[in-house]
Amino acid sequence: MAGGWTRDGAVLDQIEDTVTDGVLTARARMPVGEGTRDCVECGEPIPDARRRALPSARTCIDCQSGRDSRVVLVGINRRGSKDSQLR
């Protein structure tokens, strides 16, 4: 059910766009290229299991966990929002 200036299905389109943006952002943050044997931040060896699971890994699990906790995702997908069209 659409209301106001939106067409039927606009909310679902907005949700789908938000999910797609999230997936693309996550893929863009994944390391590419050849990994290293030792962590580029702390110098500790990267475990073999991590290197097998993620061949392009350049950080150990602890350092990557620290990096992941600092990531700030900002944004609300307002492409389909009538408020964004008013501004």
Side-chain angles (χ1 to χ4, degrees), residues 1-35:
M1 176 176 109
W5 297 323
T6 60
R7 62 175 172 69
D8 287 341
V11 173
L12 292 177
D13 289 344
Q14 186 174 0
I15 292 169
E16 185 176 319
D17 287 341
T18 300
V19 171
T20 300
D21 288 346
V23 169
L24 293 175
T25 300
R27 286 182 179 164
R29 290 182 42 232
M30 288 183 68
V32 293
E34 192 170 327

Side-chain angles (χ1 to χ4, degrees), residues 29 50 59 61-72:
R29 290 182 42 232
R50 176 167 171 75
T59 55
I61 295 170
D62 290 336
C63 291
Q64 187 62 47
S65 294
R67 283 180 166 197
D68 291 345
S69 68
R70 291 188 302 262
V71 173
V72 178

Side-chain angles (χ1 to χ4, degrees), residues 24-87:
L24 293 175
T25 300
R27 286 182 179 164
R29 290 182 42 232
M30 288 183 68
V32 293
E34 192 170 327
T36 60
R37 287 187 126 353
D38 297 326
C39 178
V40 294
E41 288 191 13
C42 68
E44 292 293 318
I46 298 173
D48 289 334
R50 176 167 171 75
R51 290 194 1 254
R52 279 193 305 273
L54 187 62
S56 56
R58 299 178 59 80
T59 55
C60 66
I61 295 170
D62 290 336
C63 291
Q64 187 62 47
S65 294
R67 283 180 166 197
D68 291 345
S69 68
R70 291 188 302 262
V71 173
V72 178
L73 297 176
V74 178
I76 298 173
N77 182 350
R78 300 181 64 88
R79 280 182 261 183
S81 167
K82 65 182 179 184
D83 291 340
S84 67
Q85 297 169 10
L86 294 174
R87 294 181 185 184

